[in-house]
């Protein structure tokens, strides 16, 4: 079963490339998403055996993030049917910012890269081998870059290059981190056979600690660049704002988790080596810097897609902070990863509905959304409340769990910064969202008529799941969250 998971999107990508018509190609994405999600769901009932000689092996951390990636891909695939039909209706398009004309990338290339992107994320989540994980994360960069450049205009090209350059530097640093890990475990008498956690964890207490410390710094900065931790987050606002909305949803809700998983694998090694406190201090530092950075930029931001991008920086900071604090906060961080993926994926899809009607990303110009798109406006408002951690949504539960753990652990200063940053971000986002939802419809915007089911069904389902997790966490999910949190415990 595990062996088939990356093969399904890989083969589907080749089929998408060969299909002559766009209509069947769009529904092929839906079939791939549903099939992949079904197989991933089966792993929750029947744990799969390792595949490819142990290179792929699913543990609770990988299972959690793989499920999120598969779920978001499926939601984005349903959304893509209507989105690509709308985008394909007009061959030559005009950029709403500078008026220049452009042509979208061929749809078959877009579908191919979407499938390859899912295959790469599957490999990242389903491996415990540091080398394979590194290759998988590099593959996510190469497969997602053409998706960012779907709208072939100047700004998307600039965003794509920035994404490639910064993430390539980050992945190079992560490679140095992997090399330093191998140096730390070097033993001329009994060398480790591979970079698999099954090999490294029993040897961790005897590994060279100075090399491990250096390795963690390189891995944290390297994968942190891809994760969007400040101050290495510069690619994220441009890439998220210039990508098609369904791609932004996957980048924020699934790709950032993959990079976070790379950091968590390093934590798994350093903790039994007795360096848990060292990891925790660095994660708390980068987490707080990310939250403060997001708070500073979100206030007064006039671009609603960039606002969502900086919100991702904030939430990646919360994840790092939760793992760095440890204890109950680690469980809160795992739950937070689930809720953030569901909510942010929904918000980016909803932003695509607004952009399609208003042809602007300005919070000042996209007014009266409740009059033009009443269902979208309701979802946009609910998504804002959810992403800001308002009850009864799941993010409220996870943020409260992290805050309680901070006070219980005596991290009063960090808790204060955490609460202040959350409050500032709430006010900043509320100003923009309220301005967009209310007010009269701009004269230049024509009433679009009834909203398409495919444009609101996916975000509605994702937000409903986020709401459910605020009221009730199923026992099976709670068990996996607890085991994932225990795997990154800093107490070893």
């Amino acid at each position: 079963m595990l062996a088939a998971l990356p093969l399904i999107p890989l083969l589907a990508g080749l089929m998408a490339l060969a299909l002559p018509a766009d209509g069947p190609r769009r529904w092929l994405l839906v079939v791939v998403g549903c099939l992949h999600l079904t197989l991933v769901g089966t792993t929750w009932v029947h744990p799969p055996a390792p595949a490819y000689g142990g290179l792929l092996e699913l543990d609770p951390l990988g299972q959690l993030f793989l499920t999120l990636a598969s779920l978001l891909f499926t939601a984005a695939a349903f959304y893509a049917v209507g989105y690509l039909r709308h985008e394909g209706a007009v061959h030559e398009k005009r950029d709403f910012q500078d008026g220049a004309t452009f042509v979208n990338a061929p749809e078959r290339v877009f579908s191919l890269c979407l499938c390859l992107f899912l295959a790469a994320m599957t490999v990242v989540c389903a491996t415990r081998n540091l080398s394979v994980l590194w290759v998988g994360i590099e593959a996510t960069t190469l497969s997602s870059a053409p998706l960012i450049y779907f709208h072939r205009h100047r700004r998307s090209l600039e965003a794509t290059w920035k994404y490639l350059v910064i993430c390539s530097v980050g992945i190079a640093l992560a490679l140095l981190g992997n090399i330093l890990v191998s140096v730390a475990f070097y033993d001329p008498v009994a060398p480790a056979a591979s970079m698999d956690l099954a090999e490294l964890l029993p040897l961790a207490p005897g590994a060279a600690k100075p090399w491990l410390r250096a390795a963690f710094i390189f891995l944290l900065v390297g994968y942190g660049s891809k994760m969007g931790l400040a101050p290495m987050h510069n690619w994220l606002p441009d890439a998220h704002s210039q990508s098609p909305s369904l791609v932004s949803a996957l980048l924020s809700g699934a790709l950032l988790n993959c990079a976070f998983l790379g950091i968590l694998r390093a934590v798994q090694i350093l903790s039994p080596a007795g360096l848990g406190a060292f990891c925790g201090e660095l994660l708390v530092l980068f987490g707080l810097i990310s939250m403060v950075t997001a708070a500073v930029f979100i206030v007064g931001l006039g671009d609603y897609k960039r606002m969502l991008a900086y919100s991702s920086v904030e939430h990646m900071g919360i994840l790092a902070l939760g793992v760095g604090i440890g204890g109950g906060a680690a469980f809160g961080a795992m739950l937070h990863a689930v809720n953030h993926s569901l909510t942010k994926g929904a918000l980016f899809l909803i932003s695509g509905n607004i952009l399609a009607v208003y042809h602007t990303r300005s919070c000042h110009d996209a007014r009266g959304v409740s009059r033009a798109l009443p269902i979208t406006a309701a979802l946009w408002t609910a998504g804002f409340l959810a992403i800001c951690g308002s009850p009864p949504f799941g993010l409220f539960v996870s943020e409260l769990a992290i805050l309680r753990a901070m006070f219980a652990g005596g991290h009063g200063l960090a808790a204060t910064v955490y609460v202040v940053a959350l409050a500032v971000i709430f006010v900043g986002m509320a100003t923009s969202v309220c301005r967009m939802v209310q007010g009269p419809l701009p004269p230049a915007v024509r009433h679009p008529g009834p909203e398409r089911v495919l444009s609101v069904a996916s975000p509605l389902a994702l937000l409903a799941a986020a709401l459910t997790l605020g009221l009730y966490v199923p026992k099976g999910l709670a068990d996996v969250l607890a085991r994932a949190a225990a795997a990154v415990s800093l107490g070893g």
Side-chain angles (χ1 to χ4, degrees):
M1 183 195 309
L2 197 54
L5 278 172
L7 290 180
I8 291 171
L10 194 62
L11 295 176
L14 296 177
M15 287 180 62
L17 198 61
L19 280 174
D22 289 335
R25 187 181 298 114
R26 293 163 192 160
W27 284 103
L28 176 64
L29 293 175
V30 175
V31 172
V32 172
C34 292
L35 185 57
H36 192 272
L37 184 59
T38 302
L39 277 182
V40 172
T42 305
T43 66
W44 285 72
V45 182
H46 304 289
Y52 302 116
L55 292 179
L56 297 188
E57 183 179 2
L58 211 52
D59 65 357
L61 272 175
Q63 188 172 38
L64 184 66
F65 291 127
L66 178 60
T67 305
L68 290 173
S70 185
L71 182 63
L72 278 181
F73 182 90
T74 306
F78 276 102
Y79 186 89
V81 174
Y83 176 84
L84 292 175
R85 186 186 300 143
H86 177 264
E87 287 292 318
V90 181
H91 182 64
E92 188 174 77
K93 302 179 126 354
R94 186 170 295 279
D95 187 0
F96 56 79
Q97 278 193 240
D98 58 20
T101 57
F102 66 92
V103 178
N104 288 335
E107 196 172 316
R108 65 179 63 207
V109 175
F110 183 77
S111 301
L112 168 66
C113 291
L114 266 181
C115 292
L116 295 180
F117 189 32
L118 178 60
M121 289 192 293
T122 301
V123 170
V124 170
C125 297
T127 186
R128 299 175 77 235
N129 186 301
L130 297 187
S131 300
V132 177
L133 184 141
W134 184 89
V135 172
I137 290 185
E138 174 64 1
T140 62
T141 303
L142 297 177
S143 57
S144 58
L147 299 175
I148 299 172
Y149 190 44
F150 177 64
H151 299 306
R152 292 183 170 177
H153 51 62
R154 180 181 57 80
R155 284 171 288 101
S156 65
L157 179 62
E158 180 182 340
T160 305
W161 274 113
K162 185 180 287 188
Y163 171 68
L164 280 172
V165 170
I166 294 178
C167 289
S168 296
V169 172
I171 203 71
L173 294 175
L175 177 61
L176 287 175
N178 275 357
I179 293 172
L180 291 173
V181 168
S182 67
V183 172
F185 282 87
Y186 178 71
D187 184 345
V189 179
S194 72
M195 293 288 280
D196 197 287
L197 290 187
E199 290 278 344
L200 298 180
L201 291 184
L203 304 175
K209 292 179 175 50
W211 290 113
L212 276 184
R213 287 192 183 93
F216 184 74
I217 292 172
F218 275 95
L219 290 170
L220 177 59
V221 174
Y223 289 139
S225 301
K226 184 102 175 192
M227 181 183 169
L229 287 177
M232 300 87 72
H233 66 286
N234 301 65
W235 67 270
L236 197 145
D238 286 343
H240 282 45
S241 61
Q242 298 302 327
S243 302
S245 295
L246 67 100
V247 175
S248 303
L250 289 172
L251 291 177
S252 183
L255 177 64
L256 301 188
N257 287 344
C258 291
F260 184 44
L261 184 58
I263 296 173
L264 295 181
R265 295 302 189 197
V267 171
Q268 282 185 277
I269 295 174
L270 266 73
S271 184
L275 297 175
F278 173 76
C279 295
E281 290 169 1
L282 284 177
L283 288 170
V284 168
L285 176 64
F286 276 96
L288 291 177
I289 291 175
S290 299
M291 292 189 69
V292 171
T293 300
V296 168
F297 280 94
I298 279 180
V299 174
L301 197 60
D303 184 320
Y304 55 86
K305 286 196 75 176
R306 290 182 77 87
M307 178 182 73
L308 295 180
Y310 276 106
S311 170
S312 295
V313 175
E314 170 211 357
H315 288 281
M316 291 305 105
I318 293 175
L319 294 183
L321 182 63
V323 174
I325 295 294
F331 179 87
M334 296 300 112
L335 181 59
H336 197 82
V338 177
N339 286 310
H340 171 257
S341 294
L342 296 173
T343 308
K344 190 56 65 62
L347 277 169
F348 269 117
L349 296 181
I350 297 166
S351 73
N353 297 346
I354 300 173
L355 186 59
V357 172
Y358 286 82
H359 303 291
T360 178
R361 293 194 304 274
S362 169
C363 302
H364 303 277
D365 296 333
R367 305 195 63 176
V369 179
S370 60
R371 299 177 187 277
L373 302 164
I375 300 176
T376 292
L379 294 174
W380 185 244
T381 305
F384 150 69
L385 293 172
I387 204 66
C388 288
S390 305
F393 290 97
L395 284 164
F396 170 76
V397 178
S398 54
E399 289 180 358
L400 185 61
I402 294 172
L403 181 63
R404 291 177 60 183
M406 281 194 283
F407 280 121
H411 302 279
L413 179 60
T416 303
V417 175
Y418 175 81
V419 171
V420 170
L422 289 179
V424 171
I425 289 169
F426 180 87
V427 173
M429 292 188 72
T431 304
S432 298
V433 171
C434 290
R435 182 186 295 127
M436 292 173 65
V437 172
Q438 298 175 345
L441 201 62
V445 177
R446 291 182 300 175
H447 198 286
E451 297 180 62
R452 292 177 286 111
V453 173
L454 287 174
S455 69
V456 295
S458 291
L460 176 61
L462 294 173
L463 284 178
L467 176 63
T468 302
L469 289 179
L471 302 172
Y472 169 70
V473 179
K475 185 177 183 306
L477 176 60
D479 289 343
V480 170
L481 291 174
R483 286 190 287 149
V488 295
S489 167
L490 300 175

